[in-house]
Amino acid sequence: MGCSKTLAAGLLAMLFLAPAVLATDPDLLQDFCVADLDGKAVSVNGHTCKPMSEASDDFLFSSKLAKAGNTSTPNGSAVTELDVAEWPGTNTLGVSMNRVDFAPGGTNPPHIHPRATEIGIVMKGELLVGILGSLDSGNKLYSRVVRAGETFLIPRGLMHFQFNVGKTGASMVVSFNSQNPGIVFVPLTLFGSNPPIPTPVLTKALRVEAGVVELLKSKFAAGF
């Protein structure tokens, strides 16, 4: 009897301490869940849904990737994002896209997408695509020159880059299996973080003098 009372008391405590919303479902429960980007009332992993009555049919279509980006940047490249923030109709669907344009010699510098696998197609030109394996692979660099019409695959979380090896502009379109794949640009993260990584940490990790680290920090003080 005492054991039953203890169990009942424990269950009641769990109920009172549990979050107000416990229900979930791995599959969609409606046709679309257009992101309410201004929604503040509920904190969720993603965005709450607009009422279907407020969702016009333009959430199914986008022309944002139709126009090339301005490649007059320090990297000689321009990324046009089409994630949930730019295309709210992708909310809960686990998909998004980017377009990247390159000037001759332009690069999409080493970076990581922490929340998504990436698959891409080169639309124009020739790009050196490099994917860096983890320590388990011996830090192996997998690379190939990918030409117009050819595709490439980058597993989630692996560092990678693209570099225009052609004499003319190049472009690619990539897709992700996340509405918000995230991005970690390695140079910017190391040398342009806020607040900065302490210089002694970087001098030890990179095995260089403090002056080299400070020079690199000055290059990324204003971001990309």
Side-chain angles (χ1 to χ4, degrees), residues 65-165:
L65 300 188
K67 184 179 180 181
N70 180 9
T71 58
S72 298
T73 65
N75 293 321
S77 64
V79 179
T80 304
E81 295 180 318
L82 197 58
D83 56 17
V84 68
E86 299 295 331
W87 197 5
T90 63
N91 192 42
T92 74
L93 298 182
V95 293
S96 59
M97 301 177 73
N98 281 356
R99 170 177 176 157
V100 188
D101 295 285
F102 300 82
T107 184
N108 192 16
H111 60 280
I112 296 165
H113 299 292
R115 294 185 290 273
T117 290
E118 173 180 345
I119 188 169
I121 181 169
V122 175
M123 305 299 294
K124 180 178 71 172
E126 300 175 302
L127 294 173
L128 173 65
V129 178
I131 302 124
L132 290 140
S134 67
L135 191 61
D136 292 341
S137 74
N139 294 323
K140 183 173 180 178
L141 170 63
Y142 304 87
S143 66
R144 180 175 297 183
V145 173
V146 184
R147 297 176 172 83
E150 297 179 339
T151 55
F152 58 89
L153 176 67
I154 299 169
R156 172 179 175 174
L158 291 188
M159 190 185 307
H160 56 284
F161 62 86
Q162 294 91 17
F163 178 74
N164 185 0
V165 295

Side-chain angles (χ1 to χ4, degrees), residues 5 8 10 12 21 24 52 56 62 76 90 96 116 130 144 160 177 189 196 203 209 213-214:
K5 287 184 178 180
L12 284 172
V21 180
T24 186
M52 289 297 294
S56 58
S62 175
T90 63
S96 59
R144 180 175 297 183
H160 56 284
N177 65 334
T189 300
T203 58
E209 299 299 323
V213 172
E214 294 302 329

